[in-house]
mmCIF file of all heavy atoms in Angstrom:
data_model
loop_
_atom_site.group_PDB
_atom_site.id
_atom_site.type_symbol
_atom_site.label_atom_id
_atom_site.label_comp_id
_atom_site.label_asym_id
_atom_site.label_seq_id
_atom_site.Cartn_x
_atom_site.Cartn_y
_atom_site.Cartn_z
ATOM 1 N N PRO A 1589 85.768 69.605 114.774
ATOM 2 C CA PRO A 1589 86.486 68.529 115.473
ATOM 3 C C PRO A 1589 85.580 67.355 115.823
ATOM 4 O O PRO A 1589 85.421 66.986 116.994
ATOM 5 C CB PRO A 1589 86.990 69.231 116.736
ATOM 6 C CG PRO A 1589 85.934 70.257 117.025
ATOM 7 C CD PRO A 1589 85.441 70.734 115.673
ATOM 8 N N PRO A 1591 84.334 63.355 115.934
ATOM 9 C CA PRO A 1591 85.016 62.063 116.040
ATOM 10 C C PRO A 1591 85.276 61.441 114.670
ATOM 11 O O PRO A 1591 86.345 60.858 114.441
ATOM 12 C CB PRO A 1591 84.044 61.221 116.873
ATOM 13 C CG PRO A 1591 83.309 62.215 117.709
ATOM 14 C CD PRO A 1591 83.137 63.416 116.817
ATOM 15 N N GLY A 1604 93.077 68.370 120.948
ATOM 16 C CA GLY A 1604 91.654 68.526 121.209
ATOM 17 C C GLY A 1604 91.411 69.151 122.560
ATOM 18 O O GLY A 1604 92.260 69.066 123.464
ATOM 19 N N VAL A 1605 90.264 69.800 122.711
ATOM 20 C CA VAL A 1605 89.814 70.271 124.018
ATOM 21 C C VAL A 1605 89.030 69.134 124.662
ATOM 22 O O VAL A 1605 88.661 68.158 123.996
ATOM 23 C CB VAL A 1605 88.962 71.542 123.884
ATOM 24 C CG1 VAL A 1605 89.784 72.674 123.277
ATOM 25 C CG2 VAL A 1605 87.717 71.292 123.036
ATOM 26 N N PRO A 1606 88.761 69.197 125.966
ATOM 27 C CA PRO A 1606 88.060 68.084 126.623
ATOM 28 C C PRO A 1606 86.735 67.709 125.980
ATOM 29 O O PRO A 1606 86.390 66.517 125.938
ATOM 30 C CB PRO A 1606 87.870 68.611 128.048
ATOM 31 C CG PRO A 1606 89.069 69.468 128.270
ATOM 32 C CD PRO A 1606 89.281 70.169 126.955
ATOM 33 N N THR A 1607 85.992 68.674 125.470
ATOM 34 C CA THR A 1607 84.730 68.349 124.808
ATOM 35 C C THR A 1607 84.971 67.419 123.617
ATOM 36 O O THR A 1607 84.201 66.479 123.372
ATOM 37 C CB THR A 1607 84.014 69.627 124.346
ATOM 38 O OG1 THR A 1607 83.777 70.460 125.484
ATOM 39 C CG2 THR A 1607 82.693 69.302 123.683
ATOM 40 N N VAL A 1608 86.027 67.679 122.864
ATOM 41 C CA VAL A 1608 86.359 66.831 121.722
ATOM 42 C C VAL A 1608 86.675 65.421 122.192
ATOM 43 O O VAL A 1608 86.172 64.421 121.643
ATOM 44 C CB VAL A 1608 87.548 67.421 120.936
ATOM 45 C CG1 VAL A 1608 88.032 66.445 119.869
ATOM 46 C CG2 VAL A 1608 87.167 68.752 120.307
ATOM 47 N N TRP A 1609 87.514 65.318 123.221
ATOM 48 C CA TRP A 1609 87.903 63.987 123.699
ATOM 49 C C TRP A 1609 86.733 63.253 124.325
ATOM 50 O O TRP A 1609 86.635 62.024 124.232
ATOM 51 C CB TRP A 1609 89.077 64.097 124.673
ATOM 52 C CG TRP A 1609 90.315 64.611 124.010
ATOM 53 C CD1 TRP A 1609 91.002 65.746 124.299
ATOM 54 C CD2 TRP A 1609 90.987 64.021 122.888
ATOM 55 N NE1 TRP A 1609 92.064 65.904 123.440
ATOM 56 C CE2 TRP A 1609 92.072 64.856 122.557
ATOM 57 C CE3 TRP A 1609 90.768 62.877 122.130
ATOM 58 C CZ2 TRP A 1609 92.947 64.575 121.513
ATOM 59 C CZ3 TRP A 1609 91.638 62.589 121.072
ATOM 60 C CH2 TRP A 1609 92.713 63.431 120.788
ATOM 61 N N SER A 1610 85.818 63.990 124.947
ATOM 62 C CA SER A 1610 84.626 63.353 125.510
ATOM 63 C C SER A 1610 83.772 62.734 124.410
ATOM 64 O O SER A 1610 83.263 61.613 124.550
ATOM 65 C CB SER A 1610 83.818 64.385 126.296
ATOM 66 O OG SER A 1610 82.634 63.822 126.804
ATOM 67 N N ARG A 1611 83.637 63.446 123.302
ATOM 68 C CA ARG A 1611 82.840 62.928 122.186
ATOM 69 C C ARG A 1611 83.526 61.747 121.516
ATOM 70 O O ARG A 1611 82.870 60.785 121.094
ATOM 71 C CB ARG A 1611 82.574 64.052 121.186
ATOM 72 C CG ARG A 1611 81.630 65.109 121.730
ATOM 73 C CD ARG A 1611 81.533 66.318 120.834
ATOM 74 N NE ARG A 1611 80.607 67.313 121.403
ATOM 75 C CZ ARG A 1611 80.461 68.548 120.946
ATOM 76 N NH1 ARG A 1611 81.185 68.957 119.914
ATOM 77 N NH2 ARG A 1611 79.605 69.376 121.516
ATOM 78 N N ILE A 1612 84.844 61.804 121.445
ATOM 79 C CA ILE A 1612 85.577 60.669 120.877
ATOM 80 C C ILE A 1612 85.461 59.457 121.797
ATOM 81 O O ILE A 1612 85.276 58.321 121.335
ATOM 82 C CB ILE A 1612 87.043 61.059 120.630
ATOM 83 C CG1 ILE A 1612 87.123 62.035 119.446
ATOM 84 C CG2 ILE A 1612 87.912 59.826 120.366
ATOM 85 C CD1 ILE A 1612 88.488 62.630 119.220
ATOM 86 N N ALA A 1613 85.533 59.694 123.097
ATOM 87 C CA ALA A 1613 85.407 58.586 124.051
ATOM 88 C C ALA A 1613 84.045 57.913 123.963
ATOM 89 O O ALA A 1613 83.914 56.714 124.264
ATOM 90 C CB ALA A 1613 85.645 59.099 125.470
ATOM 91 N N SER A 1630 95.545 67.016 125.118
ATOM 92 C CA SER A 1630 94.340 67.711 125.557
ATOM 93 C C SER A 1630 94.724 68.991 126.278
ATOM 94 O O SER A 1630 95.689 69.021 127.049
ATOM 95 C CB SER A 1630 93.511 66.829 126.493
ATOM 96 O OG SER A 1630 92.329 67.498 126.903
ATOM 97 N N GLY A 1631 93.950 70.068 126.028
ATOM 98 C CA GLY A 1631 94.228 71.329 126.697
ATOM 99 C C GLY A 1631 93.068 72.286 126.607
ATOM 100 O O GLY A 1631 91.996 71.950 126.113
ATOM 101 N N ALA A 1633 91.197 73.360 128.892
ATOM 102 C CA ALA A 1633 90.335 73.147 130.055
ATOM 103 C C ALA A 1633 90.725 71.805 130.656
ATOM 104 O O ALA A 1633 91.355 70.978 129.988
ATOM 105 C CB ALA A 1633 88.854 73.162 129.645
ATOM 106 N N PRO A 1634 90.370 71.564 131.919
ATOM 107 C CA PRO A 1634 90.735 70.282 132.541
ATOM 108 C C PRO A 1634 90.041 69.109 131.842
ATOM 109 O O PRO A 1634 88.862 69.177 131.501
ATOM 110 C CB PRO A 1634 90.232 70.435 133.979
ATOM 111 C CG PRO A 1634 90.122 71.907 134.201
ATOM 112 C CD PRO A 1634 89.737 72.485 132.878
ATOM 113 N N LEU A 1635 90.785 68.022 131.658
ATOM 114 C CA LEU A 1635 90.229 66.807 131.077
ATOM 115 C C LEU A 1635 89.659 65.949 132.200
ATOM 116 O O LEU A 1635 90.408 65.518 133.090
ATOM 117 C CB LEU A 1635 91.312 66.032 130.327
ATOM 118 C CG LEU A 1635 90.860 64.758 129.606
ATOM 119 C CD1 LEU A 1635 89.904 65.091 128.465
ATOM 120 C CD2 LEU A 1635 92.063 63.979 129.077
ATOM 121 N N PRO A 1636 88.343 65.689 132.211
ATOM 122 C CA PRO A 1636 87.776 64.854 133.265
ATOM 123 C C PRO A 1636 88.453 63.487 133.329
ATOM 124 O O PRO A 1636 88.741 62.874 132.292
ATOM 125 C CB PRO A 1636 86.300 64.729 132.868
ATOM 126 C CG PRO A 1636 86.030 65.945 132.033
ATOM 127 C CD PRO A 1636 87.304 66.186 131.282
ATOM 128 N N VAL A 1639 87.011 60.645 131.306
ATOM 129 C CA VAL A 1639 87.295 60.752 129.873
ATOM 130 C C VAL A 1639 88.724 60.298 129.602
ATOM 131 O O VAL A 1639 88.993 59.574 128.632
ATOM 132 C CB VAL A 1639 87.059 62.189 129.373
ATOM 133 C CG1 VAL A 1639 87.448 62.314 127.903
ATOM 134 C CG2 VAL A 1639 85.599 62.586 129.570
ATOM 135 N N GLU A 1783 77.981 65.671 133.125
ATOM 136 C CA GLU A 1783 78.818 66.863 133.224
ATOM 137 C C GLU A 1783 78.607 67.467 134.595
ATOM 138 O O GLU A 1783 77.540 67.316 135.199
ATOM 139 C CB GLU A 1783 78.439 67.901 132.158
ATOM 140 C CG GLU A 1783 78.611 67.452 130.721
ATOM 141 C CD GLU A 1783 78.184 68.539 129.746
ATOM 142 O OE1 GLU A 1783 78.850 69.591 129.695
ATOM 143 O OE2 GLU A 1783 77.166 68.341 129.070
ATOM 144 N N ARG A 1836 79.258 77.159 128.024
ATOM 145 C CA ARG A 1836 80.661 77.004 127.668
ATOM 146 C C ARG A 1836 81.045 78.011 126.591
ATOM 147 O O ARG A 1836 80.206 78.452 125.804
ATOM 148 C CB ARG A 1836 80.956 75.586 127.142
ATOM 149 C CG ARG A 1836 80.706 74.475 128.158
ATOM 150 C CD ARG A 1836 81.018 73.115 127.568
ATOM 151 N NE ARG A 1836 80.708 72.022 128.486
ATOM 152 C CZ ARG A 1836 81.572 71.545 129.387
ATOM 153 N NH1 ARG A 1836 82.787 72.057 129.449
ATOM 154 N NH2 ARG A 1836 81.217 70.559 130.187
ATOM 155 N N ASN A 1837 82.347 78.336 126.538
ATOM 156 C CA ASN A 1837 82.835 79.173 125.443
ATOM 157 C C ASN A 1837 83.278 78.301 124.279
ATOM 158 O O ASN A 1837 83.101 77.074 124.302
ATOM 159 C CB ASN A 1837 83.956 80.100 125.923
ATOM 160 C CG ASN A 1837 85.220 79.343 126.341
ATOM 161 O OD1 ASN A 1837 85.381 78.151 126.064
ATOM 162 N ND2 ASN A 1837 86.130 80.037 127.000
ATOM 163 N N ALA A 1838 83.867 78.917 123.261
ATOM 164 C CA ALA A 1838 84.213 78.187 122.034
ATOM 165 C C ALA A 1838 85.263 77.112 122.266
ATOM 166 O O ALA A 1838 85.352 76.152 121.501
ATOM 167 C CB ALA A 1838 84.714 79.166 120.967
ATOM 168 N N MET A 1839 86.061 77.242 123.332
ATOM 169 C CA MET A 1839 87.105 76.262 123.612
ATOM 170 C C MET A 1839 86.641 75.192 124.591
ATOM 171 O O MET A 1839 87.429 74.359 125.019
ATOM 172 C CB MET A 1839 88.346 76.971 124.166
ATOM 173 C CG MET A 1839 88.952 77.961 123.189
ATOM 174 S SD MET A 1839 89.398 77.232 121.612
ATOM 175 C CE MET A 1839 90.753 76.175 122.087
ATOM 176 N N GLY A 1840 85.356 75.232 124.951
ATOM 177 C CA GLY A 1840 84.826 74.201 125.825
ATOM 178 C C GLY A 1840 84.917 74.503 127.302
ATOM 179 O O GLY A 1840 84.514 73.683 128.133
ATOM 180 N N LYS A 1841 85.438 75.667 127.675
ATOM 181 C CA LYS A 1841 85.538 76.011 129.081
ATOM 182 C C LYS A 1841 84.169 76.408 129.628
ATOM 183 O O LYS A 1841 83.427 77.158 128.996
ATOM 184 C CB LYS A 1841 86.508 77.174 129.276
ATOM 185 C CG LYS A 1841 87.955 76.830 128.966
ATOM 186 C CD LYS A 1841 88.862 78.011 129.243
ATOM 187 C CE LYS A 1841 90.315 77.681 128.935
ATOM 188 N NZ LYS A 1841 91.208 78.829 129.193
#
Side-chain angles (χ1 to χ4, degrees):
V1605 298
T1607 301
V1608 172
W1609 295 119
S1610 177
R1611 291 171 180 170
I1612 289 172
S1630 181
L1635 183 66
V1639 176
E1783 298 179 67
R1836 298 180 184 272
N1837 66 13
M1839 298 303 292
K1841 292 183 180 180

